[in-house]
Amino acid sequence: MKVVTIVGARPQLIKASVVSQAMRAHSDLEEVLVHTGQHFDANMSDVFFDELRMPSPKHHLGIAGGSHGEMTGRMLQAIERVILDERPDAVLVYGDTNSTLAGTLAAVKLHVPVAHVEAGLRSFNMKMPEEVNRILTDRVSTWLFAPTTEAVAHLRREGVDDARVFLVGDVMYDVAIQHGRRALTLGRGVLDTAGLDDGSFVLVTIHRADNTDDPTRLANIVQGLREVAAKRRVVWPLHPRTRVALDRMGILDDVTTTMTLLPPQGYLDMVRLETAAAVIATDSGGVQKEAFFHGVPCVTLRDETEWTELVDSGWNRLVPPTSAAAVAHGVLGAIGTRGADVHPYGSGHSADAIVDMMLRGVPRA
Ligand code: UDP
């Protein structure tokens, strides 16, 4: 079996690391890795190939920036060419980015079956580009690899044939087990460099367009975090998009003087930061789950989350950034809290399950 895998954004590189490894264990399976280029900097892309021991992509499309339509269109064109050249038996896509949608559309139009990892997630907010990408991808995929029972329920409600839906658990949990543990045995890394003691600081990541492209929400987040910073050190690895937004608003210097800003981190240093944080405030999907994997309370600075089981079990609190006070109160109030003993993301063998299902061939609908 020949599988073309499409990756492009940071979380996809992280998820693909374990599935690629599971594929390499099968001599009857060949993976061709395609990097669209959506994230391209050394610290948003290259570092993950090195740290997570991934083979270099065979095709690098170098497509980044531009509007959603422009980016998706250029990717669609370039991925179609790769599929025509490679003639794969399946195309594998991850998550909900423009790379995911472009890979899916290119494949289905050429009658190549698509496998979607992280199928069935829903925010029910159609203003999010991610929600549009994931709904369209699920609609035309052949294998829908759902991470949670909630995701399976969404697909059922949308009328997806059960034969196409596979509850495999969350590949991010596989990554946390395989590589997260490595981070903790390889020394303190960024914790020593930045002079951070365990349990002493608040870790922040913000990158969703909902927050970065809305000056009022971003100002509320920054002002709320300034209030937090008066009591606890705030450590913030800054996503390139957020850096641009803070700069545009003229508040980057102010944030730099009140908080510890870091460049985007590699996966291993990110895990070190997560495990040592008193609380994590984020709008990232992956980071919400990693907080839970490492037993750290999480505050999600959004109006909704796809990972509702973490809110239900008390590990995560939804705090829409409607005011600075809401942000400060939400973040400080979560310190020292814990959630229930739940196991919603499988057993850490999702990647093997995905590869096994694909090797069984196209499911009969
Ligand atoms: N991550 C990282 N360095 C950072 C911030 C995040 O390695 O500076 C990792 C994080 O540990 C998680 C993944 O990136 O594994 C989450 O990706 P991101 O927040 O970019 O996207 P999302 O999960 O929201 O789609």
Side-chain angles (χ1 to χ4, degrees), residues 172-184:
M172 293 289 280
Y173 188 40
D174 295 27
V175 186
I177 291 173
Q178 288 182 36
H179 296 289
R181 288 203 184 133
R182 256 177 73 220
L184 304 180

PDB file of all heavy atoms in Angstrom, residues 172-184:
ATOM      1  N   MET A 172      -2.287  12.430  19.660  1.00  0.00           N
ATOM      2  CA  MET A 172      -1.479  13.325  20.522  1.00  0.00           C
ATOM      3  C   MET A 172      -1.116  12.630  21.839  1.00  0.00           C
ATOM      4  O   MET A 172      -0.114  12.963  22.464  1.00  0.00           O
ATOM      5  CB  MET A 172      -2.256  14.606  20.861  1.00  0.00           C
ATOM      6  CG  MET A 172      -2.527  15.518  19.708  1.00  0.00           C
ATOM      7  SD  MET A 172      -1.068  16.350  19.090  1.00  0.00           S
ATOM      8  CE  MET A 172      -0.874  17.663  20.241  1.00  0.00           C
ATOM      9  N   TYR A 173      -1.978  11.713  22.259  1.00  0.00           N
ATOM     10  CA  TYR A 173      -1.663  10.961  23.482  1.00  0.00           C
ATOM     11  C   TYR A 173      -0.491  10.009  23.218  1.00  0.00           C
ATOM     12  O   TYR A 173       0.416   9.876  24.043  1.00  0.00           O
ATOM     13  CB  TYR A 173      -2.916  10.216  23.957  1.00  0.00           C
ATOM     14  CG  TYR A 173      -2.776   9.552  25.303  1.00  0.00           C
ATOM     15  CD1 TYR A 173      -2.093  10.186  26.337  1.00  0.00           C
ATOM     16  CD2 TYR A 173      -3.332   8.300  25.543  1.00  0.00           C
ATOM     17  CE1 TYR A 173      -1.957   9.570  27.584  1.00  0.00           C
ATOM     18  CE2 TYR A 173      -3.208   7.686  26.782  1.00  0.00           C
ATOM     19  CZ  TYR A 173      -2.523   8.320  27.796  1.00  0.00           C
ATOM     20  OH  TYR A 173      -2.388   7.717  29.011  1.00  0.00           O
ATOM     21  N   ASP A 174      -0.498   9.386  22.048  1.00  0.00           N
ATOM     22  CA  ASP A 174       0.647   8.553  21.650  1.00  0.00           C
ATOM     23  C   ASP A 174       1.935   9.382  21.710  1.00  0.00           C
ATOM     24  O   ASP A 174       2.961   8.935  22.226  1.00  0.00           O
ATOM     25  CB  ASP A 174       0.516   8.049  20.200  1.00  0.00           C
ATOM     26  CG  ASP A 174      -0.653   7.106  19.955  1.00  0.00           C
ATOM     27  OD1 ASP A 174      -1.646   7.186  20.674  1.00  0.00           O
ATOM     28  OD2 ASP A 174      -0.557   6.286  19.015  1.00  0.00           O
ATOM     29  N   VAL A 175       1.856  10.601  21.135  1.00  0.00           N
ATOM     30  CA  VAL A 175       3.055  11.458  21.097  1.00  0.00           C
ATOM     31  C   VAL A 175       3.494  11.804  22.516  1.00  0.00           C
ATOM     32  O   VAL A 175       4.685  11.764  22.842  1.00  0.00           O
ATOM     33  CB  VAL A 175       2.794  12.772  20.303  1.00  0.00           C
ATOM     34  CG1 VAL A 175       4.084  13.569  20.163  1.00  0.00           C
ATOM     35  CG2 VAL A 175       2.207  12.494  18.936  1.00  0.00           C
ATOM     36  N   ALA A 176       2.518  12.131  23.359  1.00  0.00           N
ATOM     37  CA  ALA A 176       2.853  12.524  24.739  1.00  0.00           C
ATOM     38  C   ALA A 176       3.565  11.377  25.455  1.00  0.00           C
ATOM     39  O   ALA A 176       4.525  11.590  26.196  1.00  0.00           O
ATOM     40  CB  ALA A 176       1.587  12.917  25.490  1.00  0.00           C
ATOM     41  N   ILE A 177       3.103  10.153  25.192  1.00  0.00           N
ATOM     42  CA  ILE A 177       3.723   9.005  25.867  1.00  0.00           C
ATOM     43  C   ILE A 177       5.116   8.741  25.287  1.00  0.00           C
ATOM     44  O   ILE A 177       6.086   8.590  26.022  1.00  0.00           O
ATOM     45  CB  ILE A 177       2.819   7.761  25.726  1.00  0.00           C
ATOM     46  CG1 ILE A 177       1.549   7.958  26.563  1.00  0.00           C
ATOM     47  CG2 ILE A 177       3.564   6.499  26.144  1.00  0.00           C
ATOM     48  CD1 ILE A 177       0.518   6.884  26.387  1.00  0.00           C
ATOM     49  N   GLN A 178       5.206   8.719  23.949  1.00  0.00           N
ATOM     50  CA  GLN A 178       6.485   8.335  23.333  1.00  0.00           C
ATOM     51  C   GLN A 178       7.553   9.416  23.444  1.00  0.00           C
ATOM     52  O   GLN A 178       8.701   9.136  23.740  1.00  0.00           O
ATOM     53  CB  GLN A 178       6.273   8.020  21.857  1.00  0.00           C
ATOM     54  CG  GLN A 178       5.541   6.712  21.653  1.00  0.00           C
ATOM     55  CD  GLN A 178       5.381   6.403  20.180  1.00  0.00           C
ATOM     56  OE1 GLN A 178       6.245   6.684  19.371  1.00  0.00           O
ATOM     57  NE2 GLN A 178       4.254   5.830  19.816  1.00  0.00           N
ATOM     58  N   HIS A 179       7.164  10.670  23.180  1.00  0.00           N
ATOM     59  CA  HIS A 179       8.177  11.725  23.139  1.00  0.00           C
ATOM     60  C   HIS A 179       8.145  12.613  24.376  1.00  0.00           C
ATOM     61  O   HIS A 179       9.168  13.169  24.767  1.00  0.00           O
ATOM     62  CB  HIS A 179       8.009  12.565  21.874  1.00  0.00           C
ATOM     63  CG  HIS A 179       8.238  11.765  20.625  1.00  0.00           C
ATOM     64  ND1 HIS A 179       9.482  11.326  20.248  1.00  0.00           N
ATOM     65  CD2 HIS A 179       7.374  11.305  19.692  1.00  0.00           C
ATOM     66  CE1 HIS A 179       9.378  10.643  19.117  1.00  0.00           C
ATOM     67  NE2 HIS A 179       8.109  10.609  18.767  1.00  0.00           N
ATOM     68  N   GLY A 180       6.962  12.765  24.980  1.00  0.00           N
ATOM     69  CA  GLY A 180       6.856  13.605  26.175  1.00  0.00           C
ATOM     70  C   GLY A 180       7.730  13.054  27.295  1.00  0.00           C
ATOM     71  O   GLY A 180       8.444  13.799  27.975  1.00  0.00           O
ATOM     72  N   ARG A 181       7.723  11.747  27.446  1.00  0.00           N
ATOM     73  CA  ARG A 181       8.550  11.137  28.506  1.00  0.00           C
ATOM     74  C   ARG A 181      10.024  11.372  28.235  1.00  0.00           C
ATOM     75  O   ARG A 181      10.809  11.586  29.150  1.00  0.00           O
ATOM     76  CB  ARG A 181       8.264   9.640  28.594  1.00  0.00           C
ATOM     77  CG  ARG A 181       6.907   9.383  29.206  1.00  0.00           C
ATOM     78  CD  ARG A 181       6.806   7.995  29.808  1.00  0.00           C
ATOM     79  NE  ARG A 181       5.442   7.824  30.283  1.00  0.00           N
ATOM     80  CZ  ARG A 181       4.696   6.766  30.047  1.00  0.00           C
ATOM     81  NH1 ARG A 181       5.190   5.757  29.368  1.00  0.00           N
ATOM     82  NH2 ARG A 181       3.474   6.696  30.509  1.00  0.00           N
ATOM     83  N   ARG A 182      10.391  11.318  26.940  1.00  0.00           N
ATOM     84  CA  ARG A 182      11.788  11.592  26.563  1.00  0.00           C
ATOM     85  C   ARG A 182      12.195  12.977  27.025  1.00  0.00           C
ATOM     86  O   ARG A 182      13.289  13.187  27.530  1.00  0.00           O
ATOM     87  CB  ARG A 182      11.897  11.560  25.041  1.00  0.00           C
ATOM     88  CG  ARG A 182      12.521  10.316  24.494  1.00  0.00           C
ATOM     89  CD  ARG A 182      12.503  10.392  22.979  1.00  0.00           C
ATOM     90  NE  ARG A 182      13.453  11.313  22.441  1.00  0.00           N
ATOM     91  CZ  ARG A 182      13.238  12.132  21.397  1.00  0.00           C
ATOM     92  NH1 ARG A 182      12.068  12.142  20.791  1.00  0.00           N
ATOM     93  NH2 ARG A 182      14.172  12.917  20.953  1.00  0.00           N
ATOM     94  N   ALA A 183      11.270  13.940  26.855  1.00  0.00           N
ATOM     95  CA  ALA A 183      11.583  15.327  27.232  1.00  0.00           C
ATOM     96  C   ALA A 183      12.009  15.378  28.692  1.00  0.00           C
ATOM     97  O   ALA A 183      12.951  16.084  29.051  1.00  0.00           O
ATOM     98  CB  ALA A 183      10.358  16.215  27.019  1.00  0.00           C
ATOM     99  N   LEU A 184      11.323  14.604  29.513  1.00  0.00           N
ATOM    100  CA  LEU A 184      11.577  14.698  30.950  1.00  0.00           C
ATOM    101  C   LEU A 184      12.852  13.977  31.357  1.00  0.00           C
ATOM    102  O   LEU A 184      13.424  14.277  32.403  1.00  0.00           O
ATOM    103  CB  LEU A 184      10.365  14.167  31.719  1.00  0.00           C
ATOM    104  CG  LEU A 184       9.057  14.892  31.335  1.00  0.00           C
ATOM    105  CD1 LEU A 184       7.878  14.339  32.110  1.00  0.00           C
ATOM    106  CD2 LEU A 184       9.177  16.400  31.544  1.00  0.00           C
TER     107      LEU A 184
END
